[in-house]
Amino acid sequence: MNQPVVLQNPSHQTAFSLRHSRNSNYSIGSIAIIGLLWGAIYLAGMFAPALLDDADSVHAEAAREMVLRHDWVTLHTNGIRYLEKAPLMYWGVAGSYLLFGVSEWSTRLPLMLGVLHRVGSVSFYPLSDS
């Protein structure tokens, strides 16, 4: 009788456990370097310059009106519907306004945290399985 033989290998690891063990090889120093570079680039410009650009001020106004109108779906700027962009970025800025008040640094904070998240996720994600 030909029955298939199933071998049990106790050292068998799943793809998740291999990826997790590879990602845990990053040292605290590499994480600190990424954090310091992010801080030098983004935290230095968090409070200056002012929101003078047309695009920056329109985006900040759309998030401010989102908080004032309690309308988290339809964006408005100066009372006119603003449907040029998806609202995810504006939700982050509006949430920052609710937590910290309306200011220049609270406008920039969600975008800077998004950049930090993107850099961290790209830096620590394995490029190949080899």
Side-chain angles (χ1 to χ4, degrees), residues 109-121:
L109 181 66
L111 301 174
M112 289 186 217
L113 293 177
V115 168
L116 181 63
H117 179 265
R118 174 76 49 101
V119 167
S121 64

Side-chain angles (χ1 to χ4, degrees), residues 4-8:
V5 177
V6 178
L7 298 175
Q8 297 290 333

Side-chain angles (χ1 to χ4, degrees), residues 31-46 108-120:
I31 295 171
I33 289 171
I34 289 174
L36 288 173
L37 285 173
W38 174 81
I41 293 169
Y42 285 99
L43 292 179
M46 191 166 185
R108 293 182 175 112
L109 181 66
L111 301 174
M112 289 186 217
L113 293 177
V115 168
L116 181 63
H117 179 265
R118 174 76 49 101
V119 167

Side-chain angles (χ1 to χ4, degrees), residues 23-98:
N23 285 344
S24 62
N25 291 334
Y26 290 103
S27 66
I28 299 296
S30 63
I31 295 171
I33 289 171
I34 289 174
L36 288 173
L37 285 173
W38 174 81
I41 293 169
Y42 285 99
L43 292 179
M46 191 166 185
F47 302 101
L51 296 174
L52 300 176
D53 188 13
D54 291 338
D56 290 341
S57 60
V58 168
H59 298 319
E61 176 64 19
R64 188 185 70 82
E65 287 195 24
M66 184 182 287
V67 172
L68 290 177
R69 292 175 181 258
H70 302 288
D71 183 5
W72 294 82
V73 177
T74 307
L75 300 171
H76 293 85
T77 57
N78 297 324
I80 300 169
R81 286 190 311 173
Y82 182 74
L83 302 174
E84 293 182 15
K85 294 191 178 271
L88 181 63
M89 177 184 72
Y90 302 102
W91 291 337
V93 175
S96 178
Y97 286 168
L98 288 174

Side-chain angles (χ1 to χ4, degrees), residues 1-18:
M1 314 246 194
N2 292 333
Q3 291 182 352
V5 177
V6 178
L7 298 175
Q8 297 290 333
N9 186 354
S11 65
H12 176 72
Q13 294 182 345
T14 64
F16 174 76
S17 63
L18 286 174

